[in-house]
Amino acid sequence: MDKQYTPPDVWTHDAENGGKWASINRPVSGATHEKALPVGKHPLQLYSMGTPNGQKVTIMLEELLALGKDAEYDAHMIKIGEGDQFSSGFVAVNPNSKIPALLDHSFEEPLAVFESASILVYLAEKFDVLLPKDVIKHTQVTNWLMWLHGSAPYLGGGFGHFYSYAPEKFEYPINRFTMEIKRQLDVLDKQLAKNEFLAGDELSIADIATWPWYGNLVLGNLYDAKDFLQVDDYSHVQRWAKAILARPSVQRGRIVNRDWGEAWEHLENRHSAEDIDKILALKPT
């Protein structure tokens, strides 16, 4: 049994007892230091890190480029472990201090877009792809996009935290979030048993949002929990996850704003297609 915890009458922040992220987590918002954000040469300026939420947007941008859209972008690394997201420049773009955040300089005043789902919808509408106009298909895509946006915090903030990052392992929260994540994988598996992609027979922003979380998870690229979660049981998710990973745009987008993994898996900052080409050229054949 876990050690019994009795909540105090009034909660206070204990920065010494929060595990790996204790030094940067805090119960208030706003900037901790003054620092301007870098700005590259393209209208689209992304400030992010290659976590699942960050991968959503870089994969989307690479898909847009593959479709021939004028979506060239600069992607600047925001090292959340070092508190870059609390700089004055980043907070001005996203007051919630979470990656990813996008600035579109194609307007007279740069337009700030934050929350990954909002960025995906914005880019899909701006470039008129990956989000159908037909009301039925549009709704099916947004249903699954919002399902992911509502469910992924369980995985990232719940299962991932207690299984991988918490300073101690506690049975109750691990069991609670494991049950939830397996239920979500079952929902996904049943949907993909009926459809090639999440919202039907065409790739959409729902797939781009979902793959970095659940695709990475079942392929063993997240939390090293394949055996624990018995991910091979979800055969339709496995089929879909492998098919999405095979897309060149996904292989390109997943490595951007990363500084971990193999040499061919990380590129801290991206300013041109050649930046990605050079890194992928290091991949063993």
Side-chain angles (χ1 to χ4, degrees):
M1 293 292 292
D2 297 339
K3 293 179 289 187
Q4 184 67 35
Y5 169 68
T6 302
D9 292 337
V10 178
W11 181 86
T12 56
H13 181 217
D14 182 3
E16 303 299 319
N17 192 32
K20 180 178 179 180
W21 305 106
S23 63
I24 61 167
N25 286 335
R26 59 202 179 102
V28 295
S29 62
T32 60
H33 58 285
E34 292 291 323
K35 185 178 179 181
L37 291 174
V39 180
K41 63 182 180 180
H42 303 298
L44 296 175
Q45 298 292 303
L46 179 66
Y47 303 95
S48 190
M49 189 172 178
T51 65
N53 282 335
Q55 287 182 24
K56 296 175 189 178
V57 180
T58 48
I59 289 172
M60 176 67 173
L61 289 164
E62 292 297 324
E63 285 283 352
L64 292 172
L65 291 172
L67 290 168
K69 302 298 181 180
D70 185 15
E72 270 295 347
Y73 66 101
D74 295 277
H76 308 277
M77 178 80 152
I78 298 295
K79 296 187 176 182
I80 60 177
E82 298 178 13
D84 289 352
Q85 69 274 33
F86 298 115
S87 72
S88 57
F90 191 88
V91 170
V93 180
N94 183 0
N96 196 38
S97 293
K98 301 291 184 181
I99 61 97
L102 179 74
L103 275 177
D104 188 344
H105 288 261
S106 61
F107 300 91
E108 183 175 350
E109 290 292 330
L111 175 64
V113 193
F114 61 90
E115 288 294 330
S116 58
S118 179
I119 296 173
L120 292 182
V121 171
Y122 174 75
L123 292 173
E125 292 180 339
K126 179 181 177 74
F127 294 101
D128 195 25
V129 289
L130 301 170
L131 181 59
K133 283 186 165 42
D134 174 81
V135 66
I136 294 175
K137 292 182 178 180
H138 185 284
T139 301
Q140 290 169 339
V141 170
T142 53
N143 281 345
W144 287 103
L145 176 66
M146 297 309 163
W147 168 81
L148 182 281
H149 203 64
S151 70
Y154 272 111
L155 186 138
F159 176 79
H161 176 79
F162 288 107
Y163 185 79
S164 295
Y165 302 129
E168 297 180 62
K169 295 289 190 289
F170 294 107
E171 182 179 3
Y172 176 80
I174 290 176
N175 284 345
R176 172 65 180 86
F177 285 106
T178 297
M179 179 177 65
E180 183 65 17
I181 205 65
K182 286 182 72 67
R183 186 183 67 82
Q184 291 164 0
L185 286 171
D186 190 59
V187 169
L188 188 57
D189 199 62
K190 288 172 179 173
Q191 176 66 6
L192 290 168
K194 302 179 293 183
N195 300 279
E196 181 179 0
F197 296 104
L198 195 50
D201 58 1
E202 296 180 355
L203 181 80
S204 73
I205 56 174
D207 300 282
I208 292 172
T210 303
W211 185 88
W213 283 107
Y214 298 118
N216 272 323
L217 183 68
V218 300
L219 295 176
N221 298 326
L222 197 61
Y223 305 136
D224 192 24
K226 284 184 66 176
D227 293 337
F228 181 75
L229 294 171
Q230 299 172 294
V231 296
D232 289 340
D233 291 349
Y234 306 101
S235 60
H236 303 291
V237 181
Q238 289 282 350
R239 183 269 308 164
W240 166 85
K242 291 172 184 176
I244 298 293
L245 179 58
R247 300 177 69 86
S249 55
V250 176
Q251 295 176 34
R252 297 175 70 83
R254 66 180 290 272
I255 71 172
V256 178
N257 295 146
R258 286 177 50 147
D259 60 359
W260 64 92
E262 302 293 336
W264 53 270
E265 289 184 305
H266 58 83
L267 174 66
E268 288 201 28
N269 301 293
R270 185 267 191 208
H271 304 292
S272 69
E274 289 74 22
D275 292 336
I276 299 178
D277 294 340
K278 291 176 183 177
I279 296 299
L280 290 179
L282 302 174
K283 185 176 181 179
T285 57

